[in-house]
């Protein structure tokens, strides 16, 4: 979650830098344009990769519930985070390594200075990652529902309590997937079919929800997390509400 927060912060800085280079810097510098585009690509790639990593972590915490805490050591987690940052840095370097249309303006995509073909590659990669996330969350729903049934049988819970817990988990997963899809998929599909000749207002109207996803992520992944809620209560008022200390952790929290 810290990696996601840093990636979203960098995405905001990248947007400001990209806007400043494109509209405030006259004449525009090719090096500055490539650097701003690289920062933006790296930041958004890090944000998407962080969301995917959180999804994989949630899946493993349920699928390997008995061995999860022993297998996910601090060293392993740090190595995975470092690997993801290096991968995203490589994506950010692509415009500097030739994925640009500065020498051929007719090949520019809506993601200037990235070419249309390269933008299509990025869009298809994103759609594949989203399909993987959706598949993992479907598996999470199945595992969580099976666990809820087993717990209900063992503790003889009434059916309504089990249904409430299951609905809460499904609503959380629906919020995560629905928000991510609404923010990113229209822009990804538009990147496949459009080029630099399309009106800029179309690009901005579809890019705005995608950029807002970086603003929504903290609300979904942090403020809905019980552990972070406790930390916020301690930081703001120096106490923890009794509802947190008495409420057991459930599969819906995961």
């Amino acid at each position: 979650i810290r990696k996601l927060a840093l990636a979203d912060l960098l995405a905001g800085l990248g947007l400001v830098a990209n806007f400043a280079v494109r509209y405030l810097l006259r004449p525009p510098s090719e090096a500055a344009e490539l650097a701003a585009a690289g920062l933006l690509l790296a930041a958004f790639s890090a944000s998407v990769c962080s969301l995917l990593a959180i999804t994989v972590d949630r899946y493993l915490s349920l699928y390997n519930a008995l061995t999860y805490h022993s297998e996910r050591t601090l060293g392993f987690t740090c190595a995975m985070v470092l690997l993801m940052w290096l991968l995203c840095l490589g994506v950010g370097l692509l415009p500097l390594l030739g994925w640009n249309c500065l020498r051929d303006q007719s090949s520019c995509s809506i993601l200037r200075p990235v070419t249309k073909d390269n933008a299509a590659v990025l869009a298809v990669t994103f759609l594949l990652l989203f399909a993987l996330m959706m598949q993992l969350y479907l598996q999470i729903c199945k595992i969580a529902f099976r666990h809820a049934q087993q717990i209900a049988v063992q503790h003889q819970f009434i059916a309504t309590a089990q249904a409430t817990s299951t609905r809460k988990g499904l609503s959380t997963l629906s919020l995560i997937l629905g928000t991510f899809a609404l923010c990113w998929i229209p822009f990804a599909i538009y990147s496949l079919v459009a080029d630099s000749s399309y009106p800029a207002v179309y690009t901005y109207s579809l890019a705005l929800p995608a950029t807002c996803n970086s603003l929504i992520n903290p609300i979904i992944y942090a403020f809905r997390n019980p552990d972070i809620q406790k930390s916020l209560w301690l930081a703001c008022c120096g106490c923890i509400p009794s509802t947190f200390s008495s409420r057991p952790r459930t599969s819906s929290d995961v």
Side-chain angles (χ1 to χ4, degrees):
I1 290 180
R2 285 196 296 266
K3 178 180 180 294
L4 176 63
L6 179 58
D8 288 333
L9 175 62
L10 291 176
L13 296 176
L15 285 172
V16 173
N18 197 272
F19 178 84
V21 168
R22 181 169 298 186
Y23 297 104
L24 301 181
L25 190 61
R26 289 290 183 267
S29 167
E30 290 187 0
E33 189 173 1
L34 291 175
L39 174 61
L40 202 58
L41 281 177
F44 280 125
S45 298
S47 181
V48 173
C49 285
S50 298
L51 300 181
L52 178 61
I54 292 173
T55 305
V56 173
D57 186 66
R58 285 175 167 172
Y59 172 74
L60 293 177
S61 69
L62 291 178
Y63 184 76
N64 296 326
L66 296 178
T67 60
Y68 169 75
H69 291 287
S70 61
E71 293 175 350
R72 198 195 66 168
T73 62
L74 179 60
F76 177 79
T77 302
C78 292
M80 291 298 101
V81 170
L82 178 61
L83 180 63
M84 282 190 290
W85 275 116
L86 291 176
L87 176 62
C88 296
L89 179 61
V91 174
L93 291 175
L94 290 178
L96 292 170
L97 297 177
W99 282 35
N100 64 77
C101 59
L102 297 181
R103 299 292 181 266
D104 183 12
Q105 298 296 324
S106 62
S107 64
C108 285
S109 68
I110 60 171
L111 305 173
R112 178 183 169 84
V114 178
T115 63
K116 189 177 186 304
D117 291 340
N118 294 331
V121 172
L122 293 175
V124 170
T125 301
F126 165 80
L127 292 174
L128 291 176
L129 290 179
F130 175 75
L132 176 59
M133 286 178 59
M134 186 168 62
Q135 177 62 28
L136 287 173
Y137 272 125
L138 288 175
Q139 294 301 319
I140 288 174
C141 287
K142 293 180 180 179
I143 295 174
F145 184 76
R146 185 167 65 248
H147 286 182
Q149 286 182 320
Q150 293 172 351
I151 293 173
V153 171
Q154 292 174 2
H155 296 273
Q156 297 180 350
F157 288 161
I158 58 175
T160 54
Q162 175 190 338
T164 300
S165 176
T166 304
R167 281 198 302 269
K168 181 182 177 183
L170 291 177
S171 65
T172 301
L173 296 182
S174 299
L175 177 63
I176 292 171
L177 276 180
T179 302
F180 188 69
L182 289 175
C183 289
W184 275 105
I185 288 184
F187 183 66
I189 294 177
Y190 183 70
S191 300
L192 288 172
V193 301
D195 54 38
S196 58
S197 64
Y198 281 59
V201 65
Y202 294 164
T203 301
Y204 293 140
S205 62
L206 291 175
L208 182 61
T211 57
C212 286
N213 186 243
S214 295
L215 179 64
I216 299 172
N217 281 338
I219 300 174
I220 298 177
Y221 289 92
F223 296 143
R224 289 177 62 91
N225 184 290
D227 296 328
I228 296 180
Q229 288 178 20
K230 292 179 183 179
S231 299
L232 289 174
W233 275 103
L234 283 174
C236 294
C237 65
C239 63
I240 300 177
S242 58
T243 54
F244 282 106
S245 58
S246 61
R247 185 173 64 89
R249 189 172 178 87
T250 67
S251 58
S252 299
D253 297 328
V254 178

